[in-house]
Amino acid sequence: MKPMIPTPTPRLINELQSFGARLVDPKAGHESRRGGAGPSDHKAITIDGTTVMVPVHTAPAFESPYLVEKPDGLGRSRISRDGVALASVSFPPRPRFYDLSTADGVPYWKIAVLHGRDVLATTVLQTCIRYQSRTKTCRFCAIGQSLAAGRTVERKTPQQLAEVASAAVRLDGVTHMVMTTGTPPGRDRGAAILAESAAAVKAAVDLPIQGQCEPPSEDAWFWRMKEAGIDALGMHLEAVTTDVRERIMPGKAQIPVARYFDAFAAAVPVFGRGQVSTYILAGLGDTQEAVLATCERLIALGVYPFVVPFVPISGTPLESHPAPSPAFMHDILAPLARMLRASGLRAADVKAGCGRCGACSALSTYEREAVA
Ligand code: SF4
């Protein structure tokens, strides 16, 4: 009789996201996310029904104690540590929309990609005012890498996004969409291109959309984005204390945390409680206490704090920065899940985006455990 394999625990997911995993077959599953905006160098792996993004191309992943065996003909595999099988895993199949191209010959996968299990993700504008200069760039970001490598196009037009979103729904059953953007010059900070892109997608297909941008300088943009079809909004703090923000993201830190909180307070009545979120990268220098105190303030405003472990991306200035330990993540995510539970905010209620997907963090697994 085979030994019983337990369902994934928050501990296993935390360890996988901190240490990464070695793949016996690097070609298993569909293409990994490499470069691009935000976290990258991961592969989507489904562990007993829960899809998580696991670092596989980072320096720590090459030394990871976790090993994913070569999948069988149906894409099924096992994950083991020191020769002991811990869970059965599978890889989301290559999306069918990846085989299509626009009329002008751009492959759909250069316009948007599959994240997690059922999320369509795009970076509408693949350049950023902050990425141009070494003194301003966010030190964790790889937005220019996939562009330089020819894996994406600089500006995805509203028509292209509508075409790809329709195909991804029809062929691959995606259930929501994330639209992020590099920050363009101008006071709207990307809200305008997100709004025009969302309007085109919504005219073509009924798909919940999360927009992600820096706080625009006028709060009126929140209504404009909502009216254009954006269902949920992400404005990402990334780090929470001023000195860490100034060190890690000197350009973006020019917009102070106080402006983010004003923007959150203005956006929640527009999008609804729990439909505005922020992404916090734990492990960049903020203490657990600082992260949790910020999350407490966010939750009080009705903002969902999506806390993910920092992943050092190859080719970025932080490629040698350590990922946070599983214990560090546990000491944030366990109390955070209890706070969320007490407030009634749930990942499962977020209409679209990273909070709903949850694949980059063990947070939603902790939330389910807190409920149980
Ligand atoms: S949590 Fe966000 S960034 Fe991570 S896989 Fe899901 S949609 Fe992509």
Side-chain angles (χ1 to χ4, degrees):
M1 207 166 90
K2 281 192 176 172
M4 211 176 80
I5 293 175
T7 53
T9 57
R11 182 175 161 204
L12 174 60
I13 297 179
N14 264 342
E15 294 211 343
L16 278 174
Q17 292 188 322
S18 291
F19 299 143
R22 288 175 293 131
L23 302 179
V24 172
D25 177 9
K27 294 204 198 75
H30 65 81
E31 296 85 336
S32 319
R33 298 173 57 209
R34 303 201 67 164
S40 186
D41 286 10
H42 298 58
K43 191 164 278 259
I45 298 180
T46 303
I47 308 176
D48 288 328
T50 300
T51 300
V52 288
M53 300 302 284
V54 177
V56 293
H57 297 299
T58 59
F62 299 128
E63 313 262 304
S64 171
Y66 289 97
L67 185 74
V68 180
E69 296 169 6
K70 186 175 166 70
D72 65 16
L74 296 174
R76 293 174 310 203
S77 175
R78 293 192 310 176
I79 191 157
S80 60
R81 181 173 180 154
D82 303 325
V84 178
L86 298 171
S88 46
V89 302
S90 61
F91 295 90
R94 186 174 198 273
R96 284 183 278 186
F97 78 85
Y98 279 18
D99 293 332
L100 304 179
S101 297
T102 60
D104 49 349
V106 183
Y108 279 12
W109 57 264
K110 289 193 177 185
I111 293 166
V113 293
L114 187 74
H115 275 201
R117 184 173 45 86
D118 60 357
V119 191
L120 185 67
T122 186
T123 302
V124 178
L125 179 68
Q126 200 78 30
T127 53
C128 180
I129 48 165
R130 313 211 181 280
Y131 197 75
Q132 316 301 342
S133 138
R134 275 221 170 270
T135 57
K136 291 191 192 145
T137 187
C138 300
R139 293 165 57 78
F140 49 77
C141 183
I143 192 170
Q145 284 184 17
S146 47
L147 183 61
R151 289 194 296 271
T152 189
V153 292
E154 181 173 336
R155 173 77 163 93
K156 289 82 173 175
T157 67
Q159 294 72 25
Q160 287 172 331
L161 291 168
E163 193 179 328
V164 176
S166 301
V169 169
R170 189 176 70 250
L171 299 175
D172 297 289
V174 305
T175 61
H176 56 122
M177 182 168 187
V178 175
M179 280 182 188
T180 192
T181 181
T183 303
R187 293 167 54 80
D188 66 276
R189 303 216 172 89
I193 52 170
L194 291 176
E196 69 175 21
S197 303
V201 169
K202 276 287 164 72
V205 64
D206 184 17
L207 185 64
I209 297 171
Q210 185 203 30
Q212 301 180 345
C213 61
E214 293 186 26
S217 53
E218 286 169 41
D219 291 342
W221 276 108
F222 299 133
W223 278 115
R224 291 178 201 137
M225 283 194 275
K226 171 84 176 156
E227 280 164 9
I230 291 179
D231 301 279
L233 180 68
M235 293 184 288
H236 296 172
L237 283 166
E238 328 282 10
V240 302
T241 37
T242 302
D243 58 330
V244 177
R245 289 169 58 80
E246 286 176 349
R247 182 164 49 81
I248 299 288
M249 28 193 267
K252 200 170 168 186
Q254 287 163 6
I255 302 186
V257 172
R259 169 60 194 139
Y260 275 79
F261 271 86
D262 287 348
F264 291 137
V268 170
V270 176
F271 292 93
R273 200 168 165 274
Q275 303 306 332
V276 177
S277 61
T278 193
Y279 210 100
I280 295 173
L281 289 166
L284 289 173
D286 290 320
T287 62
Q288 289 145 322
E289 294 74 21
V291 172
L292 285 169
T294 303
C295 291
E296 197 170 12
R297 286 179 66 200
L298 291 162
I299 291 170
L301 281 177
V303 174
Y304 183 88
F306 188 50
V307 179
V308 307
F310 161 70
V311 174
I313 312 290
S314 311
T316 66
L318 291 187
E319 67 176 5
S320 302
H321 191 288
S325 71
F328 183 89
M329 291 309 299
H330 173 82
D331 289 348
I332 293 175
L333 297 180
L336 174 56
R338 290 194 290 273
M339 275 188 225
L340 286 165
R341 166 98 182 114
S343 73
L345 292 184
R346 302 188 322 156
D349 294 332
V350 181
K351 291 179 187 164
C354 292
R356 173 167 163 188
C357 165
C360 285
S361 170
L363 178 57
S364 58
T365 319
Y366 278 95
E367 280 183 46
R368 288 200 289 275
E369 201 173 68
V371 172

